Amino acid sequence: MPMVENIRRKKARALSSIVKSDLFSNLMSQEKEFVIKWSQIVVLKKGRTLFSPGDAAQRLYLLREGLIRIFKPLEGGGDEEIAYFAPGDMIGDFDFARGAEYDAQAQALEDSVLVMFPGFGMTMDSFALEMPHIVSRLLLNSAAMITGRIKSTRELTMKNMSWVQGLQRKAYEDPGTGLWKQTFLADEIARLLEDPMALIMLKPDKFKILVDSLGHGAGDEAMIKIAAVLKEIIRAVGRGWALRFKSNETGLLINNCDAALAQSLAQSLSEAIAALPPVSLKRAREQAAGQAVEQSGEGGDFFFSGSIAWGIWPADNEHWDSLFDGTYSLLMDTWKAGGNAIVRYQGEPFL
């Protein structure tokens, strides 16, 4: 029994080593436990191949024991040496970050032990569906690490800039709507702020009726329609960002936007949301449909409307975090009071 326990402890230590790498450094404890759960130990005998050119780079490998050689097979025989990996090295992170196929071969020069994430039976795509926020952070970390690696060589930086930017966009993009996530705002706001900057927040009214009646799929479809409205406003203005905050709260961040323009855009947003085609609730179960008819209007249809709160930085508050929190709080108060209204947050005027 003690031998079994020792084996278990040794395996647990090996698996947990993967989250000690820089790539997983900003994950929370619970998230790290999830990564460990979906990792797997791989034993690679001397001479065996870990991956080959053309294989999809869907996994990360931490070398625990042994020696791995990376090379490119050459036409006509022979090969081109690229790198050697020793215990403690992460293998495949560059290709993983690009979402590319391997263009080289990895071979064990001696019996080797690796920790692989995710393990067999799960790809990074399927893991992203389960824990999208973890994958977002991994992609952001990958982008930061790789950008650092290629900074010293201008040619490499220029060559890879487009896919690094694409990687950052993917990490910051809400997969359901294509809107920028709130994490983008949190990470980039210091760089984005430009006086005057308008923050316009939207929360759809009585959205719970739609979801309770027709399910989350109907809610997802509605969010896609709302996202399209936001993106169209950004296209019309020619600047700014369309964002998704928490749950079904969305909004706009518009640079070089004074109060008059912000009020006009808020009004346009309200009208565009109200103009969305109503959703029939006839597919709902009888009890849910009856409740929906009573609360949403005649005919058993769900009609769109929105609560909107907006503010101007720095005119309404010179502290961005306070402006954001104050606008969001006002949005929720307006929504709870019945919604379908446009209100301006004016907290601490900037003198």
Side-chain angles (χ1 to χ4, degrees):
M1 192 66 177
M3 182 177 294
V4 173
E5 289 299 321
N6 286 337
I7 292 172
R8 286 176 178 168
R9 281 197 294 268
K10 185 177 180 180
K11 181 180 179 182
R13 282 197 301 270
L15 289 172
S16 63
S17 63
I18 195 167
V19 296
K20 295 177 182 177
S21 65
D22 291 340
L23 198 58
F24 299 89
S25 60
N26 68 343
L27 296 185
M28 299 173 65
S29 297
Q30 254 185 332
E31 295 169 339
K32 288 181 179 180
E33 290 174 7
F34 199 87
V35 169
I36 292 170
K37 174 185 175 183
W38 288 105
S39 296
Q40 189 170 354
I41 294 175
V42 175
V43 177
L44 199 65
K45 293 294 183 181
K46 179 179 178 180
R48 299 298 297 272
T49 296
L50 182 63
F51 54 75
S52 301
D55 291 348
Q58 279 281 330
R59 292 181 168 83
L60 297 164
Y61 302 93
L62 176 70
L63 184 59
R64 290 278 299 174
E65 302 173 18
L67 185 64
I68 301 291
R69 172 180 177 248
I70 309 294
F71 62 94
K72 286 186 178 180
L74 300 176
E75 293 183 12
D79 56 61
E80 176 189 352
E81 295 280 3
I82 296 179
Y84 289 86
F85 289 89
D89 289 337
M90 186 72 76
I91 303 172
D93 53 343
F94 189 86
D95 296 288
F96 159 75
R98 293 189 299 159
E101 294 180 348
Y102 294 114
D103 59 0
Q105 186 163 326
Q107 185 181 52
L109 292 182
E110 55 188 61
D111 290 352
S112 301
V113 178
L114 307 98
V115 180
M116 177 177 70
F117 171 78
F120 293 118
M122 175 172 273
T123 65
M124 193 58 70
D125 289 339
S126 58
F127 186 80
L129 292 175
E130 290 240 2
M131 302 292 282
H133 56 289
I134 293 181
V135 174
S136 293
R137 290 182 190 175
L138 292 181
L139 290 171
L140 284 174
N141 283 355
S142 297
M145 290 168 61
I146 293 166
T147 302
R149 289 182 195 175
I150 63 180
K151 269 183 180 176
S152 59
T153 307
R154 185 176 183 278
E155 181 182 353
L156 281 175
T157 303
M158 296 305 295
K159 179 181 177 182
N160 291 283
M161 188 60 69
S162 61
W163 73 258
V164 170
Q165 290 174 342
L167 176 64
Q168 290 173 324
R169 170 75 203 215
K170 183 179 179 181
Y172 281 133
E173 188 177 88
D174 176 57
T177 61
L179 299 175
W180 292 99
K181 293 180 182 177
Q182 188 169 336
T183 50
F184 164 76
L185 195 60
D187 291 348
E188 300 293 328
I189 190 60
R191 180 178 64 82
L192 300 178
L193 279 177
E194 179 183 351
D195 183 4
M197 181 77 81
L199 174 66
I200 304 172
M201 289 183 161
L202 163 74
K203 185 174 178 65
D205 300 325
K206 298 181 174 66
F207 204 71
K208 191 173 184 293
I209 293 174
L210 179 65
V211 175
D212 286 351
S213 299
L214 299 179
H216 289 286
D220 293 340
E221 290 178 15
M223 289 305 301
I224 292 172
K225 294 175 183 177
I226 292 171
V229 170
L230 295 166
K231 292 174 187 176
E232 181 56 37
I233 291 176
I234 291 296
R235 280 193 290 268
V237 176
R239 61 185 182 277
W241 299 264
L243 303 122
R244 185 171 188 172
F245 303 112
K246 305 171 183 176
S247 183
N248 57 26
E249 292 97 36
T250 59
L252 302 167
L253 181 70
I254 312 287
N255 53 316
N256 191 25
C257 182
D258 60 19
L261 179 56
Q263 174 67 44
S264 175
L265 292 176
Q267 185 64 43
S268 297
L269 176 59
S270 178
E271 293 171 359
I273 294 300
L276 289 173
V279 178
S280 172
L281 300 178
K282 292 179 181 178
R283 291 175 294 157
R285 291 177 305 208
E286 185 174 350
Q287 183 179 359
Q291 180 186 13
V293 169
E294 180 183 343
Q295 295 186 33
S296 62
E298 295 180 3
D301 290 339
F302 176 85
F303 295 91
F304 287 93
S305 67
S307 302
I308 297 175
W310 61 276
I312 302 292
W313 178 91
D316 293 328
N317 199 309
E318 64 177 306
H319 302 291
W320 168 258
D321 288 343
S322 297
L323 177 78
F324 184 93
D325 292 342
T327 305
Y328 181 77
S329 178
L330 180 60
L331 174 74
M332 297 305 294
D333 289 344
T334 304
W335 174 75
K336 290 174 184 176
N340 196 21
I342 301 172
V343 291
R344 178 179 179 179
Y345 166 76
Q346 289 179 292
E348 300 173 11
F350 178 60
L351 302 177

